[in-house]
Amino acid sequence: MAKKERTAEEIAAKAARKAEKASSKKKSGKQVVVAAAKSLDESLDQQSPIQRVTATLYIALSPVVNNYPIEGICAEHFSPLYLQYYPPFDGVVLSYENVRLSENPEEGLREDGPSTVLARSINEYGVEFVWATADFLIFRPAPSTYLKAEVNLQNESILGLLYLNYFTVSIPRENLPEDWKWEDGQWVDAQGEMLKEVVCKVVDFEPSGEGSISITGTLVGL
């Protein structure tokens, strides 16, 4: 598809916007610009969507893994959670480590847990039950969390972002700045520039099936 040629008026308007931007930068001074950038960086650092969670779960242990209980629990219960939304954590599991067993949840929270653990067998059940504790890394984009993501999809009604090269973020048209415009098949900012990477604020997220999540964000009020 041939690229749409801009009129002389459009080219002049874009040049005027760029000149106005350059002029405002000179007037505001370097310190103001640095302070604003630092404030946004602080928001990204202080409101990280990635959290470390230590959790203890009551898990069924198959007889076939009795000789290797930790390896069996990882294979049966923890590893299948990779990149899956797990409701008890209200987030997506990115990784886990430091798996240990215990006979009650209190012991599992101790780093120096018991060296010998007895599993519980109930009546004629073929499995035993044991408490398993691990340190999980969770992606939980709570409302008002800031994300720096790449632009990977756009149309007149939505701007699509990609975070960590995996999670998709949708910015509806009503959540874009009023001075953004749809030009030549892409969104451009007030200076007429197309951004490849933006910082957005999470409005909400919800499970979207198949273990994934759907994130809605905004570029207004950052």
Side-chain angles (χ1 to χ4, degrees), residues 163-195:
Y163 180 72
L164 295 180
N165 203 34
Y166 184 81
F167 299 101
T168 57
V169 184
S170 299
I171 312 292
R173 182 169 187 167
E174 59 268 23
N175 290 351
L176 294 175
E178 293 183 355
D179 53 8
W180 280 38
K181 296 181 180 179
W182 178 255
E183 293 183 359
D184 299 334
Q186 61 189 11
W187 284 102
V188 296
D189 61 13
Q191 288 72 42
E193 298 179 354
M194 181 190 70
L195 302 179

Side-chain angles (χ1 to χ4, degrees), residues 93-166:
V93 177
L94 300 180
S95 68
Y96 68 89
E97 62 180 358
N98 195 20
V99 180
R100 59 263 194 200
L101 305 181
S102 62
E103 296 179 17
N104 58 67
E106 290 75 20
E107 288 183 348
L109 296 177
R110 291 164 39 195
E111 291 292 338
D112 56 342
S115 57
T116 301
V117 175
L118 298 179
R120 184 182 183 188
S121 179
I122 302 176
N123 297 330
E124 68 276 7
Y125 288 160
V127 298
E128 297 86 30
F129 294 88
V130 67
W131 291 95
T133 303
D135 301 323
F136 296 88
L137 201 62
I138 306 298
F139 175 65
R140 185 188 296 157
S144 297
T145 299
Y146 285 78
L147 304 176
K148 179 183 285 187
E150 297 180 354
V151 176
N152 75 322
L153 174 68
Q154 47 186 321
N155 55 47
E156 291 186 73
S157 61
I158 199 169
L159 180 69
L161 309 178
L162 194 63
Y163 180 72
L164 295 180
N165 203 34
Y166 184 81

Side-chain angles (χ1 to χ4, degrees), residues 20 46 48 61 82 99 106 111 155 164 170 196 216:
E20 184 179 355
Q46 295 173 1
S48 174
L61 189 64
Y82 275 134
V99 180
E106 290 75 20
E111 291 292 338
N155 55 47
L164 295 180
S170 299
K196 295 182 179 180
T216 303

Side-chain angles (χ1 to χ4, degrees), residues 57 59 73-82 96 99 132-134 136:
L57 307 175
I59 288 178
I73 286 176
C74 292
E76 288 189 64
H77 300 282
F78 290 166
S79 292
L81 296 178
Y82 275 134
Y96 68 89
V99 180
T133 303
F136 296 88

